[in-house]
Amino acid sequence: MAVKIRCPQLYVIGDRGVFRNDEDWLDALKDVGTLLDPALTALQVRVKGSCDQTRWNRMKMAHAALKPALDHGARIFVNGTVSQAAELGYTGVHLTEARIPNEPVPCPDSLEIAASTHSLGAIQKAYRAPVSFVVYGPIFRPKSKNSEPVGLESLRRVSRVTPLPILALGGITPERVPSCINAGAAGVACITTVMKSKNRSRMIRRLLEGES
């Protein structure tokens, strides 16, 4: 069974897809890794759109880059399978909506599970899996891709009917954090807002405090 740990207030998604090359991506991951507070923040390593071997190699490179942060207790998930996360030594696994199982997933006791969701049905399925928390969205129009937002009212509706902590994703800025929390989110998740920021430390602080 997956370990149940308090939902992070901020979940940074380190998506390889928003960087031109591996070097820039790994440098950004290292930087974010030094800024993580296990009580408030977590990081997801995300590699998509490449062959299986390339994804695996990048997961390994990311783990090596983040090892100092992991050694200091940082909560770092990898977007992949339970077996991949366990073998590489990440603290958690992040499941795509398509990978959320219909039955409880066999998992090492120390491994957290999170998942991406886009509907109430997927959130309910994730709750049965069980996962520690889910990401839901896009709430606002994302900066990293062209997707139609579901809006704050949708976030409010799903938050009312599920006990699972929900993190709002999609177009998140410090100014939008309070409205997400008021709609029932336990916190927020973001990609470019942090990963492409020129001052990641300040941006993380602003997102945690919901500052303008």
Side-chain angles (χ1 to χ4, degrees), residues 22-208:
D22 287 343
E23 183 179 3
D24 290 348
W25 175 58
L26 293 171
D27 284 345
L29 289 178
K30 287 178 187 177
D31 188 30
V32 172
T34 67
L35 303 172
L36 295 176
D37 177 348
L40 298 172
T41 55
L43 171 66
Q44 179 198 147
V45 171
R46 186 162 82 172
V47 181
K48 301 178 82 173
S50 52
C51 70
D52 290 346
Q53 188 59 52
T54 299
R55 281 198 298 272
W56 176 254
N57 290 340
R58 285 174 171 160
M59 289 177 189
K60 288 175 67 177
M61 289 191 298
H63 183 272
L66 290 163
K67 191 172 187 308
L70 286 161
D71 289 344
H72 283 84
R75 297 167 66 187
I76 302 178
F77 296 67
V78 67
N79 191 306
T81 65
V82 169
S83 61
Q84 288 171 335
E87 182 174 345
L88 289 170
Y90 284 93
T91 61
V93 61
H94 187 99
L95 304 175
T96 62
E97 185 171 275
R99 281 185 171 149
I100 300 173
N102 292 314
E103 302 293 336
V105 57
C107 182
D109 289 342
S110 60
L111 197 70
E112 286 189 83
I113 303 180
S116 294
T117 60
H118 305 284
S119 67
L120 177 59
I123 294 173
Q124 292 171 331
K125 187 177 178 183
Y127 179 69
R128 295 190 296 269
V131 306
S132 300
F133 59 90
V134 297
V135 172
Y136 178 73
I139 305 305
F140 305 100
R141 191 170 298 279
K143 298 177 183 178
S144 58
K145 59 183 177 180
N146 186 22
S147 298
E148 194 66 27
V150 298
L152 287 168
E153 187 54 40
S154 176
L155 174 62
R156 185 173 288 108
R157 286 196 301 270
V158 298
S159 297
R160 283 174 179 166
V161 295
T162 177
L164 197 61
I166 296 173
L167 299 181
L169 172 70
I172 300 299
T173 64
E175 297 84 355
R176 288 170 168 170
V177 172
S179 61
C180 292
I181 301 302
N182 290 339
V188 296
C190 60
I191 303 174
T192 57
T193 303
V194 171
M195 296 301 292
K196 302 294 283 186
S197 173
K198 294 181 179 178
N199 188 334
R200 297 187 183 97
S201 177
R202 181 170 180 267
M203 181 55 69
I204 286 174
R205 177 184 61 78
R206 291 179 62 204
L207 286 162
L208 287 170

